[in-house]
C-alpha cells in the first residue's frame, strides 16, 4: 500500500505525487498529480531520483496487493 503519511520535504511530496500518478485511475488524475509534482521545484537530478523512487513505490504497492489477493 502507498505510504500516505504527510510528506515532510518537497522531495517526499514529489515522490508521493508521482506515485499517485502511476497508480491513478484516469488521465485527468495522472495529469493533476504530474502538475502537483512539478510544482515543488526540484532540480532535474532530484526529479529523476523522485521518478525512480515513485516507480519502486508503485511496483511495491502492486506486489503487496497481488499477494494479499492470492492469500484470500
Amino acid at each position: 500500500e502507498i505510504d500516505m503519511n504527510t510528506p515532510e520535504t518537497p522531495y517526499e511530496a514529489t515522490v508521493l505525487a508521482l506515485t499517485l500518478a502511476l497508480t491513478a485511475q484516469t488521465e485527468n488524475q495522472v495529469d493533476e498529480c504530474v502538475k502537483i509534482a512539478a510544482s515543488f521545484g526540484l532540480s532535474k537530478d532530484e526529479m529523476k531520483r523522485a521518478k525512480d523512487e515513485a516507480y519502486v513505490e508503485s511496483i511495491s504497492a502492486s506486489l503487496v496487493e497481488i499477494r494479499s489477493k492470492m492469500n484470500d
Side-chain angles (χ1 to χ4, degrees):
E1 184 170 299
I2 298 170
D3 181 7
M4 294 298 202
N5 291 331
T6 303
E8 296 182 11
T9 66
Y11 177 82
E12 290 175 357
T14 301
V15 171
L16 179 57
L18 292 172
T19 303
L20 291 172
L22 290 168
T23 59
Q25 301 285 323
T26 68
E27 283 298 314
N28 284 344
Q29 290 172 335
V30 171
D31 292 344
E32 190 63 30
C33 290
V34 170
K35 285 179 193 173
I36 291 168
S39 74
F40 294 109
L42 296 186
S43 70
K44 202 172 196 177
D45 289 339
E46 288 173 315
M47 184 60 84
K48 171 153 179 22
R49 201 167 44 105
K51 287 178 184 178
D52 291 344
E53 191 170 330
Y55 283 123
V56 170
E57 288 289 328
S58 65
I59 291 168
S60 181
S62 295
L63 289 174
V64 167
E65 185 177 331
I66 290 167
R67 284 187 186 134
S68 72
K69 287 180 181 179
M70 291 175 66
N71 292 329
D72 287 346

